[in-house]
């Protein structure tokens, strides 16, 4: 026996200390012990892995070395405030905070702090758990949920599109028949102004085009292959410009075409490709409406086995924050509509074996959209693409 302490007590203390040392060094969570001056007294192996420091690097130093700057500045004040007032802000209350790795990386941890009174003075024991993997999982889960919601909306859009196409067919057919009847009647009346006949003929053509668009959209939703035919590019582009100008209310045209010489015919669905180009041209027309000198150009050239249709304008350009979601449905930046124009246009382009994308703005001004299409795609290639086209699956892959 030694000064009232038995050898048995010494053995028990040694066993207890060994156990605590084993727990301290094998714990999966980080454990750090500091005194009331915020100096590090102990730093376990898990902390070394978590922060990149060896224990020897921090022992006796202020614990704020493993804190971001904004936490470090306030930490000593929090400790002194607790020692003075006894008011607990984190002791006994687990909370999420930010920590700093040796390389400067800031990452989230869950911190629980306990307090111990020892012969050497008051000490604080912090248990630290790395939250990075949990945060990544939460982020992935949130993104997956958002994608599933988006997929549900796209699937609903498919059903709605098919239903609308079916319902619109009858009234549109009736309008076309009425117009054709009026056209025949007016042609029989030789006293009528020829301008009236011209307007009626244009109305008939637009009604027929609307019917074709509806049928093609049904085919797109049902994943059918495009109705391809040989398109003479120059005449086709001229018709697109003419239709894009309809309803603009502008006297002088602001749109012009730049077509390379010697372009071959394009094997594509003229109704669907015209729909893409008219959508791009009208978007460009809207983009330049506030410019003093308004310019919209549709340029066509050959690039290998593809034809490239490039629509450029001198408007303000696409805001950077909108670029990532520009071709996703229901994310359009317009005040009207639900943002389907570009999403549908890209789907049509991809169904043809091509693509539609936004090009980097030249000199930081204007926007440039590039529609790239194969000149004469193999039958098997576009049939396979059409069979695999699923708007909801496409959205999930983005």
């Amino acid at each position: 026996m030694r000064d009232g302490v038995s050898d048995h007590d010494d053995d028990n203390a040694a066993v207890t200390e060994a156990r605590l040392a084993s727990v301290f060094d094998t714990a999966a969570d980080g454990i750090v012990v500091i005194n009331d001056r915020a100096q590090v007294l102990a730093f376990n192996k898990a902390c070394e892995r978590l922060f990149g420091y060896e224990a020897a690097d921090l022992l006796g130093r202020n614990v704020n070395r493993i804190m971001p700057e904004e936490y470090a500045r306030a930490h000593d004040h929090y400790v002194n405030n607790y020692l003075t007032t006894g008011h607990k802000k984190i002791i006994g209350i687990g909370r999420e905070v930010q920590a700093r790795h040796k390389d400067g990386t800031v990452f989230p941890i869950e911190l629980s702090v306990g307090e111990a009174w020892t012969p050497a003075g008051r000490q604080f024991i912090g248990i630290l758990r790395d939250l990075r993997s949990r945060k990544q999982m939460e982020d992935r889960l949130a993104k997956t949920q958002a994608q599933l919601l988006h997929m549900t909306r796209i699937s609903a859009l498919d059903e709605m599109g098919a239903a609308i196409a079916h319902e619109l067919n009858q009234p549109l057919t009736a309008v076309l028949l009425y117009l054709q009847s009026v056209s025949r009647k007016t042609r029989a009346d030789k006293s009528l102004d020829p301008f009236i006949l011209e307007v009626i003929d244009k109305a008939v053509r637009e009604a027929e085009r609307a019917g074709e668009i509806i049928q093609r959209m049904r085919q797109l939703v049902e994943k059918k292959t495009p109705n391809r035919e040989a398109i003479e590019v120059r005449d086709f582009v001229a018709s697109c410009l003419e239709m894009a100008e309809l309803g603009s209310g502008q006297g002088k045209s602001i749109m012009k075409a730049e077509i390379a010489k010697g372009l071959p015919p394009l094997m594509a669905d003229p109704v669907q490709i015209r729909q893409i180009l008219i959508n791009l041209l009208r978007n460009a027309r809207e983009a330049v409406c506030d410019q003093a000198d308004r310019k919209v150009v549709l340029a066509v050239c050959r690039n290998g086995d593809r034809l490239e249709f490039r629509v450029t304008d001198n408007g303000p350009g696409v805001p950077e924050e909108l670029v990532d979601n520009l071709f996703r449905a229901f994310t359009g930046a317009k005040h009207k509509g639900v943002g389907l124009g570009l999403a549908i246009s890209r789907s049509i382009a991809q169904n043809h074996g091509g693509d539609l994308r936004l090009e980097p703005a030249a000199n930081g001004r204007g926007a440039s959209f590039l529609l790239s299409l194969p000149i004469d795609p193999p039958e098997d290639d576009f049939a396979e693409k059409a069979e695999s086209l699923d708007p909801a699956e496409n959205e999930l892959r983005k």
Side-chain angles (χ1 to χ4, degrees):
M1 181 174 291
R2 172 174 46 81
D3 296 333
V5 179
S6 68
D7 293 338
H8 179 68
D9 290 336
D10 285 341
D11 290 342
N12 285 340
V15 169
T16 299
E17 186 175 346
R19 287 173 178 169
L20 289 175
S22 176
V23 170
F24 186 78
D25 282 333
T26 59
D29 292 333
I31 302 175
V32 59
V33 181
I34 65 172
N35 60 20
D36 54 11
R37 296 184 299 281
Q39 294 171 322
V40 176
L41 303 179
F43 197 76
N44 75 342
K45 296 293 184 184
C47 272
E48 290 182 342
R49 293 189 295 270
L50 188 60
F51 292 97
Y53 287 104
E54 298 290 334
D57 297 334
L58 294 180
L59 293 179
R61 296 178 179 273
N62 196 302
V63 74
N64 62 19
R65 295 191 66 178
I66 59 173
M67 300 177 185
E69 187 176 347
E70 61 273 19
Y71 282 66
R73 285 196 301 264
H75 183 259
D76 289 348
H77 169 72
Y78 290 152
V79 172
N80 291 331
N81 182 67
Y82 171 66
L83 294 175
T84 303
T85 66
H87 178 61
K88 298 179 180 180
K89 287 193 174 182
I90 191 170
I91 295 174
I93 307 169
R95 62 187 295 184
E96 181 180 327
V97 297
Q98 297 294 311
R100 183 178 62 183
H101 192 272
K102 183 179 180 179
D103 64 10
T105 303
V106 175
F107 59 95
I109 61 169
E110 183 178 353
L111 173 64
S112 299
V113 179
E115 183 180 12
W117 292 83
T118 73
R122 201 183 312 193
Q123 296 180 359
F124 302 97
I125 300 92
I127 310 295
L128 301 82
R129 177 168 297 173
D130 190 350
L131 295 182
R132 281 174 290 191
S133 59
R134 191 177 86 182
K135 288 293 183 182
Q136 291 171 354
M137 187 177 299
E138 289 174 354
D139 289 343
R140 286 197 297 269
L141 179 60
K143 289 178 180 177
T144 301
Q145 289 175 335
Q147 289 171 335
L148 288 173
L149 177 61
H150 197 68
M151 183 179 71
T152 301
R153 297 173 77 182
I154 292 294
S155 298
L157 176 65
D158 285 353
E159 297 176 7
M160 182 180 69
I164 289 175
H166 176 73
E167 294 299 327
L168 284 180
N169 264 338
Q170 289 183 344
L172 190 58
T173 301
V175 168
L176 186 57
L177 290 174
Y178 286 139
L179 286 171
Q180 290 172 343
S181 176
V182 170
S183 178
R184 287 193 298 269
K185 194 75 172 175
T186 52
R187 287 182 187 282
D189 188 349
K190 303 298 183 182
S191 63
L192 286 177
D193 187 340
F195 175 73
I196 296 177
L197 288 174
E198 183 183 349
V199 171
I200 292 175
D201 287 343
K202 286 185 176 181
V204 169
R205 288 199 300 271
E206 288 301 305
E208 290 173 342
R209 190 172 73 88
E212 290 175 343
I213 289 173
I214 288 174
Q215 291 305 315
R216 298 298 201 276
M217 289 308 299
R218 263 185 100 170
Q219 291 173 0
L220 182 66
V221 169
E222 293 169 2
K223 307 170 197 173
K224 293 183 180 178
T225 58
N227 292 334
R228 296 175 187 262
E229 59 185 74
I231 300 173
E232 292 298 331
V233 176
R234 190 169 295 275
D235 293 340
F236 180 71
V237 167
S239 70
C240 290
L241 291 176
E242 179 185 356
M243 291 179 182
E245 290 280 14
L246 287 176
S248 66
Q250 297 167 344
K252 182 181 177 182
S253 174
I254 63 171
M255 299 181 184
K256 69 174 184 176
E258 295 178 356
I259 305 173
K261 294 180 179 180
L263 294 180
L266 172 69
M267 289 301 298
D269 186 322
V271 174
Q272 291 188 351
I273 302 306
R274 184 182 289 114
Q275 183 182 351
I276 296 176
L277 293 176
I278 290 175
N279 181 51
L280 294 176
L281 288 167
R282 288 180 173 169
N283 286 348
R285 189 183 71 192
E286 292 179 19
V288 301
C289 63
D290 293 330
Q291 303 297 315
D293 181 23
R294 293 169 289 182
K295 293 180 182 178
V296 175
V297 178
L298 170 54
V300 190
C301 65
R302 182 170 185 168
N303 186 357
D305 61 351
R306 291 176 173 256
L307 286 187
E308 294 183 342
F309 296 78
R310 184 174 281 101
V311 177
T312 58
D313 63 66
N314 64 337
V318 179
E320 187 176 348
E321 64 272 15
L322 300 180
V323 170
D324 290 342
N325 293 320
L326 194 61
F327 292 96
R328 299 192 65 183
F330 306 108
T331 57
K334 291 184 178 181
H335 296 295
K336 296 181 180 179
V338 291
L340 291 175
L342 290 175
I344 292 175
S345 293
R346 172 174 272 184
S347 294
I348 292 172
Q350 292 174 343
N351 197 29
H352 277 74
D355 198 10
L356 174 64
R357 62 185 174 87
L358 174 69
E359 294 186 304
N363 300 323
R365 293 287 295 171
S368 177
F369 286 86
L370 177 63
L371 170 64
S372 175
L373 296 170
I375 295 173
D376 190 11
E379 288 287 329
D380 292 342
D381 178 62
F382 67 74
E384 181 180 344
K385 285 182 181 294
E387 289 173 2
S388 66
L389 181 67
D390 186 327
E393 291 176 1
N394 281 349
E395 289 298 320
L396 274 180
R397 285 197 293 268
K398 291 179 183 176

